[in-house]
């Protein structure tokens, strides 16, 4: 029994080498991190979020450090789906690890345009749907409005006939009855679409929990916001315990019963952080902020998880998913 | 104390009587009637599943197995044998045949999905899509079968190319030949993928041709065997000795057999309402429990009849030379072939004269007589075992041994042959014409018993006959379903 068997992960039919993924926006389009780290040591790379049209993004400063993590307000800077399909997609097949697409948009049409194009990229087995974007028609984020999210997932599912669909949820939801994180998660996996393959579902095939937490930092000397965009998203160790709680809640209330895999995201810096996610119900984790500290950390986390699985007496990491003793 | 009467005379024995013999005769008639009723009742139940199935059957979403069900075999036969070689005008009429013969056989949800695939081929993609849309309403959106339905629907709407490789693989994995047929939709005739699904006509026809040749050969061999047996009849000295009085325990043993059979038939109906796994388990259990009927010959022994008496009067002995009796049994099986072939041809002609389909009158799918091949290897094994081993031993012992012996002493050999054969015929759960066929075979076995005295020859002939039927149905099922 070696790490390859212990860590092999199946996310709704997508087979990964191990459960450690690189989070969207932190690892470039395809394999740009290959110079800084061994991509063969991670389960998958999630690309930068792609929108229908090219975007310059926000003015600088767009990334700043905080005492317990990082704030970013990139503003979805990316080359747009046409350039992505033309210039980046051909490299995916040669990448040393699995590449998962990421879609962002400001209307359902935006999302479906990108999804339809990504559906044609053969080497990409799955896409992640970034729903923490304001809906230009409704004003609120898709990720906090169950009805809007259900419509969005349904529309994307209709054109995404050949890719597994993971939905990356927002961490901040209203929390009122009918609008808890469990309700939002349910809205994402429900739906009467057509599953794209064995292990797939009529709605989302998997849930990613969670995106960054809206945050703000102020320079007290100049009395100006430290981000040009004023606010941004907080990531890193500060958000980890909050994300663990979200995974725990969604796993217990929704995902376990529906057999939907969860990808835990939020401040994974050490293998213990990843193991926490696994124990409360995540099948895999994504790492982002850690890459800015040390690009070799994902590899270390994967090795640490392999040793942990062995010490726990389990034959595969799947046996430890949701195995927290309550 | 009851007054004891003996129909056929004979000295009173020193055993305590279990009531007047006419009571046992009546009990025997009731038991046989109960067997017939249970057969009829289970036939009704099985027939009813076609029209209005119990929920557990109708809602079954288990894709395992089912490749050899009546629905699957009929579908494969109609597509492979007829569809491929039809002209356009003939194809227009096949929709009617599809409605009449195939549609009523699809009961479970899985079968209805597969039915839609056959409809897509034989009727058209609109009919397939309508059937899938109907089925979709009953399914949990996130169930595996719902995904299959959605994919097949997309296939008929947008063509097989609209499905990813893993989806195609999954459809073929889960639905076997039906998956192949769906994925071959709309492909040109000589496309290898399409040929894999619809080819096989030549193979089926050559199998039938070979079976016909086999039958002709058996006919000729049978004529020779018949001539040889007639020529050597005198040399094969008769062993039958019926000068000893036959104890009433033999009749009682027969009644116990019939009563036990009723109970087992009742138990075998329990699988209704179970899921697929449970029903295989129950079928296995009922194929095992029938072996308890091997204990029937114990009854006279328990009642104090000596084994030597039982073995002589019930034919449970080797007749002096076991090899000779085995050879005579095999010879009788062969010599009987021209007659059994003649009878089955005559019955088939009779049937087609009255215009009924051969399918409607074929033996029912009763689990006790599960004909191979089913999808469960264990069931096939037990089915063959009960057909080739259990039936010859138990049925010969009971019908030609106990019943024949007891009736013969009291009513003579002609009525013994008639009564044992009629009883043998009507307890077989086939159509009336099928019962006639079985009854005719019963006559042959009874004649063998009368001639030889020992049951070895009828047992061997019975086993060979059943083995040939199992082999034939194997060959046909493999040709159509393989």
């Amino acid at each position: 029994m070696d790490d390859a068997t212990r860590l092999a992960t199946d996310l709704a039919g997508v087979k990964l080498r191990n459960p450690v993924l690189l989070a969207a926006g932190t690892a470039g389009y395809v394999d740009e991190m290959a110079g800084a780290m061994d991509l063969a040591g991670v389960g998958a790379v999630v690309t930068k979020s792609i929108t229908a049209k090219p975007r310059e993004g926000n003015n600088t400063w767009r990334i700043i450090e905080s005492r317990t993590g990082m704030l970013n307000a990139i503003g979805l800077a990316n080359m747009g789906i046409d350039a992505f399909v033309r210039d980046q997609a051909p490299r995916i097949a040669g990448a040393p690890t699995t590449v998962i697409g990421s879609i962002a948009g400001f209307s359902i049409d935006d999302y479906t345009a990108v999804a339809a194009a990504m559906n044609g990229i053969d080497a990409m087995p799955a896409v992640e749907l970034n729903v923490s974007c304001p809906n230009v028609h409704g004003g609120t984020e898709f990720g906090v409005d169950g009805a809007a999210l259900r419509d969005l997932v349904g529309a994307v599912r209709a054109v995404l006939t050949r890719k597994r669909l993971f939905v990356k949820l927002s961490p901040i939801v209203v929390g009122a009855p009918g609008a808890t994180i469990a309700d939002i998660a349910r809205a994402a996996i429900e739906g009467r679409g057509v599953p794209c393959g064995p292990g797939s579902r009529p709605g989302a095939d998997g849930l990613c929990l969670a995106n960054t937490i809206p945050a703000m930092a102020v320079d007290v000397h100049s009395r100006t916001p430290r981000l040009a965009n004023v606010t941004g998203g907080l990531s890193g160790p500060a958000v980890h315990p909050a994300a663990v709680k979200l995974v725990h809640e969604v796993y217990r209330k929704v995902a376990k019963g529906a057999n939907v895999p969860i990808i835990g995201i939020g401040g994974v810096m050490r293998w213990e952080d990843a193991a926490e996610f696994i124990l409360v119900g995540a099948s895999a984790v994504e790492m982002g902020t850690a890459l800015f500290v040390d690009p070799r950390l994902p590899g270390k986390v994967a090795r640490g998880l392999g040793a942990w699985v062995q010490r726990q007496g389990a034959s595969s990491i799947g046996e430890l998913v949701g195995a927290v003793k309550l | 104390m009851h007054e004891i009467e003996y129909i056929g005379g004979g000295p009173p024995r020193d055993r305590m009587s279990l009531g007047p013999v006419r009571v046992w005769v009546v009990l025997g008639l009731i038991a046989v009637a109960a067997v017939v009723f249970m057969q009829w009742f289970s036939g009704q139940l099985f027939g009813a599943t076609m029209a209005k199935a119990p929920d557990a059957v109708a809602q079954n979403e288990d894709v395992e197995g089912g490749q050899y069900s009546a629905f699957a075999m009929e579908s494969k036969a109609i597509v492979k044998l007829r569809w491929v070689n039809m002209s356009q005008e003939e194809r227009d009429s096949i929709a009617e045949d599809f409605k009449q013969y195939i549609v009523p056989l699809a009961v479970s949800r899985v079968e209805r999905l597969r039915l839609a695939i056959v409809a897509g081929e034989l009727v058209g993609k609109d009919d397939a899509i309508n059937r899938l849309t109907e089925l979709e309403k009953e399914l949990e959106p996130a169930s595996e079968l719902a995904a299959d339905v959605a994919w097949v629907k997309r296939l008929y709407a947008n063509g097989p190319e609209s499905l990813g490789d893993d989806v195609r693989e999954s459809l073929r994995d889960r639905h076997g030949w039906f998956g192949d047929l769906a994925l071959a939709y709309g492909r040109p005739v000589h496309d290898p993928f399409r040929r894999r699904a619809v080819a096989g006509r030549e193979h089926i026809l050559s199998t039938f041709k070979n079976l016909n040749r086999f039958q002709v050969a058996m006919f000729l061999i049978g004529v020779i065997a018949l001539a040889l047996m007639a020529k050597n009849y005198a040399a094969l000295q008769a062993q039958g000795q019926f000068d000893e009085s036959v104890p009433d325990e033999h009749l009682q043993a027969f009644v116990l057999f019939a009563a036990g059979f009723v109970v087992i038939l009742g138990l075998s109906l329990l699988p209704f309402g179970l899921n697929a796994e449970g029903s295989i388990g129950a079928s296995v259990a009922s194929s095992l429990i029938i072996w308890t009927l091997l204990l029937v010959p114990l009854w006279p022994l328990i009642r104090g009849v000596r084994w030597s008496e039982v073995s002589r009067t019930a034919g449970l002995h080797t007749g002096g030379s076991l090899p000779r009796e085995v050879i005579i049994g095999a010879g009788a099986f062969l010599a009987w072939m021209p007659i059994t072939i003649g009878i089955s041809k005559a019955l088939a002609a009779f049937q087609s004269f009255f215009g009924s389909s051969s399918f409607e009158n074929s033996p029912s799918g009763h689990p006790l007589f599960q004909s191979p091949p089913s999808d469960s290897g264990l069931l096939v094994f037990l089915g063959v075992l009960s057909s080739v081993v259990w039936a010859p031993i138990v049925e010969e012992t009971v019908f030609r041994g106990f019943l024949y012996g007891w009736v013969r002493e009291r009513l003579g050999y002609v009525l013994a042959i008639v009564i044992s054969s009629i009883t043998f015929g009507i307890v077989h759960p086939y159509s009336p014409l099928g019962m006639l066929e079985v009854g005719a075979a019963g006559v042959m076995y009874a004649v063998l018993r009368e001639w030889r005295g020992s049951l070895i020859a009828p047992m061997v002939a019975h086993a060979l006959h059943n083995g040939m039927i199992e082999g034939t149905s194997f060959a046909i099922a493999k040709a159509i379903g393989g």
Side-chain angles (χ1 to χ4, degrees):
Chain A
M1 184 79 61
D2 53 3
D3 270 9
T5 5
R6 270 195 291 272
L7 293 181
T9 299
D10 183 333
L11 292 177
V14 180
K15 308 263 188 299
L16 301 180
R17 186 181 295 135
N18 67 48
V20 180
L21 287 66
L22 304 190
T26 63
Y29 288 105
V30 178
D31 53 3
E32 288 90 323
M33 291 297 278
M37 62 184 292
D38 180 15
L39 281 178
V42 301
V45 171
V46 184
T47 72
K48 209 181 245 305
S49 285
I50 308 295
T51 51
K53 296 273 174 328
R55 285 174 60 88
E56 291 286 327
N58 297 326
N59 292 331
T60 53
W61 290 81
R62 310 205 288 196
I63 297 180
I64 57 165
E65 222 175 308
S66 85
R67 277 180 300 160
T68 54
M70 195 177 95
L71 275 73
N72 86 80
I74 305 289
L76 296 171
N78 77 97
M79 58 175 57
I81 185 61
D82 294 342
F84 180 79
V85 169
R86 188 182 62 236
D87 301 335
Q88 304 292 338
R91 300 210 329 265
I92 292 175
T97 188
T98 306
V99 175
I100 294 174
S102 174
I103 307 176
F106 302 91
S107 69
I108 287 182
D109 291 345
D110 278 358
Y111 280 100
T112 53
V114 180
M118 284 193 175
N119 197 42
I121 303 175
D122 285 339
M124 184 187 270
V127 301
E128 194 177 274
L129 209 60
N130 176 355
V131 296
S132 305
C133 313
N135 177 356
V136 289
H137 298 299
T140 58
E141 285 180 21
F142 287 101
V144 299
D145 179 347
L149 183 60
R150 193 178 282 115
D151 291 346
L152 174 64
V153 171
V156 170
R157 181 90 269 181
V159 297
L160 203 67
T161 56
R162 307 177 61 177
K163 309 290 167 204
R164 299 297 189 278
L165 174 60
F166 303 142
V167 174
K168 184 173 181 177
L169 298 177
S170 304
I172 303 297
V173 295
V174 180
T180 63
I181 189 71
D183 297 314
I184 300 291
R186 222 171 267 126
I189 65 166
E190 281 170 2
R192 294 220 60 134
V194 177
C196 70
S200 174
R201 298 176 51 84
D205 298 313
L207 297 166
C208 309
L209 285 163
N211 216 319
T212 54
I213 294 176
M216 179 175 174
V218 178
D219 184 301
V220 294
H221 306 293
S222 65
R223 300 188 343 218
T224 53
R226 293 182 60 198
L227 287 166
N229 189 50
V230 182
T231 62
L234 175 66
S235 59
V239 306
H240 177 67
V244 169
K245 189 259 184 187
L246 288 173
V247 171
H248 171 72
E249 193 169 335
V250 170
Y251 180 72
R252 293 282 147 186
K253 292 186 177 161
V254 182
K256 189 181 181 185
N259 197 23
V260 173
I262 297 175
I263 301 175
I265 315 172
V268 174
M269 310 297 282
R270 315 169 301 163
W271 69 262
E272 291 93 332
D273 302 329
E276 272 187 89
F277 272 131
I278 302 290
L279 285 175
V280 296
S283 300
V285 299
E286 285 181 15
M287 294 176 65
T289 308
L291 296 178
F292 293 80
V293 178
D294 180 355
R296 291 167 302 179
L297 284 178
K300 284 187 185 170
V301 168
R303 285 191 294 279
L305 283 177
W308 172 63
V309 170
Q310 191 175 17
R311 281 198 304 278
Q312 289 292 320
S315 60
S316 82
I317 193 159
E319 291 175 22
L320 294 168
V321 171
V324 63
K325 296 173 183 165
L326 296 174
Chain B
M1 276 295 282
H2 294 284
E3 194 170 332
I4 303 168
E5 291 177 24
Y6 294 99
I7 288 181
R13 292 169 182 69
D14 53 358
R15 294 184 294 275
M16 212 217 296
S17 165
L18 282 177
V21 72
R22 60 167 178 259
V23 170
W24 283 97
V25 170
V26 170
L27 283 178
L29 289 174
I30 291 173
V32 169
V35 172
V36 173
F37 171 79
M38 286 302 284
Q39 308 276 25
W40 172 83
F41 180 69
S42 63
Q44 289 299 107
L45 211 50
F46 275 77
T49 47
M50 301 305 174
K52 191 180 184 318
D55 285 353
V57 178
Q59 290 169 7
N60 185 12
E61 294 182 17
D62 186 357
V63 297
E64 291 305 315
Q67 293 291 331
Y68 292 108
S69 67
F71 161 71
M73 297 300 278
E74 294 276 316
S75 300
K76 289 171 182 177
I78 200 169
V79 169
K80 291 181 177 179
L81 275 176
R82 298 176 55 192
W83 179 243
V84 179
N85 280 43
M86 281 178 142
S87 68
Q88 194 51 52
E89 297 81 65
E90 288 172 314
R91 289 188 172 198
D92 291 339
S93 70
I94 209 166
E96 272 312 305
D97 287 3
F98 171 75
K99 276 205 197 86
Q100 193 178 342
Y101 297 118
I102 310 286
V103 173
L105 294 175
V107 178
S108 71
R109 287 172 173 170
V110 172
E111 284 176 332
R112 284 166 58 207
L113 164 62
R114 295 173 179 179
L115 178 73
I117 293 171
V118 179
E121 186 69 29
L122 301 182
V123 185
K125 68 176 184 180
D126 294 339
D127 192 54
I129 291 173
N130 287 341
R131 289 179 188 281
L132 294 168
T133 309
E134 280 303 304
L135 178 57
E136 207 166 35
K137 291 177 191 155
E138 295 176 24
L139 298 171
E140 283 290 318
S143 68
E144 282 185 306
L145 194 64
D148 292 347
V149 169
W151 292 330
V152 174
K153 206 168 149 186
R154 173 181 289 163
L155 183 153
Y156 284 113
N158 304 333
E161 298 73 25
S162 61
L163 300 179
D165 290 344
D166 51 351
V167 172
R168 293 157 187 250
E169 207 44 53
S170 159
L171 284 178
R172 296 191 52 215
D173 261 15
R174 283 167 55 77
H175 298 285
W177 177 81
F178 294 95
D180 280 342
L181 184 66
L183 294 171
Y185 175 75
R187 284 172 186 259
V189 180
H190 294 293
D191 181 292
F193 205 83
R194 179 162 181 82
R195 285 196 61 76
R196 184 164 62 195
V198 302
R201 180 170 197 272
E202 292 75 17
H203 181 51
I204 298 170
L205 291 183
S206 75
T207 302
F208 277 119
K209 202 179 271 176
N210 287 338
L211 285 173
N212 269 332
R213 284 186 189 132
F214 175 72
Q215 210 174 42
V216 171
M218 290 301 276
F219 187 93
L220 295 175
I221 294 172
V223 170
I224 297 168
L226 196 57
L228 280 175
M229 287 190 91
K231 185 164 174 284
N232 296 311
Y233 181 76
L236 299 165
Q237 69 218 67
Q239 303 287 317
Q241 290 181 347
F242 296 94
D243 47 8
E244 196 171 342
S245 78
V246 179
D248 290 336
E249 277 72 14
H250 283 27
L251 174 66
Q252 294 164 3
F254 175 79
V255 174
L256 285 179
F257 162 80
F261 202 58
V262 171
V263 172
I264 292 170
L265 282 173
L267 291 177
S268 76
L269 294 182
L270 290 181
F272 274 96
L274 295 180
N275 58 14
E277 227 167 67
S279 104
I280 286 190
S283 298
V284 168
S286 60
S287 341
L288 288 175
I289 206 172
I290 55 172
W291 291 84
T292 58
L293 292 176
L294 275 176
L295 298 176
V296 161
L298 284 182
W299 175 253
L301 298 180
I302 291 169
R303 294 285 302 143
V305 186
R306 284 182 308 279
W307 168 249
S308 58
E309 194 184 343
V310 174
S311 73
R312 280 195 309 275
T313 50
L316 290 170
H317 55 84
T318 57
S321 162
L322 183 63
R324 184 184 60 203
E325 295 305 316
V326 169
I327 291 169
I328 288 176
F333 159 71
L334 291 173
W336 183 250
M337 281 307 293
I339 301 165
T340 188
I341 291 171
I343 290 176
S344 68
K345 293 281 179 219
L347 291 179
F350 180 77
Q351 249 171 327
S352 66
F353 182 73
F354 287 99
S356 62
S357 154
S358 60
F359 298 120
E360 289 164 29
N361 290 308
S362 53
S364 79
H366 196 284
L368 272 188
F369 299 94
Q370 183 85 37
S371 258
S374 94
D375 290 345
S376 152
L378 182 60
L379 263 189
V380 171
F381 176 73
L382 290 174
V384 171
L385 210 61
S386 56
S387 164
V388 178
V389 180
W390 178 87
I393 294 178
V394 173
E395 291 181 353
E396 293 312 312
T397 302
V398 168
F399 289 99
R400 257 68 66 182
F402 291 125
L403 182 64
Y404 184 86
W406 188 84
V407 175
R408 190 192 185 286
E409 193 202 356
R410 286 150 185 87
L411 301 175
Y413 72 90
V414 175
L415 279 178
I417 291 175
V418 170
I419 289 173
S420 69
S421 301
I422 289 178
T423 320
F424 182 58
I426 63 177
V427 299
H428 279 77
Y430 303 153
S431 63
L433 293 180
M435 289 180 180
L436 253 172
E437 222 172 320
V438 175
V443 170
M444 189 265 277
Y445 302 140
V447 167
L448 271 182
R449 158 84 158 109
E450 175 67 27
W451 176 27
R452 306 310 307 168
S454 156
L455 286 174
I456 297 295
M459 280 179 183
V460 169
H462 196 155
L464 288 172
H465 179 81
N466 285 6
M468 189 185 66
I469 291 176
E470 297 290 319
T472 308
S473 57
F474 250 126
I476 293 175
K478 282 291 168 203
I480 294 178

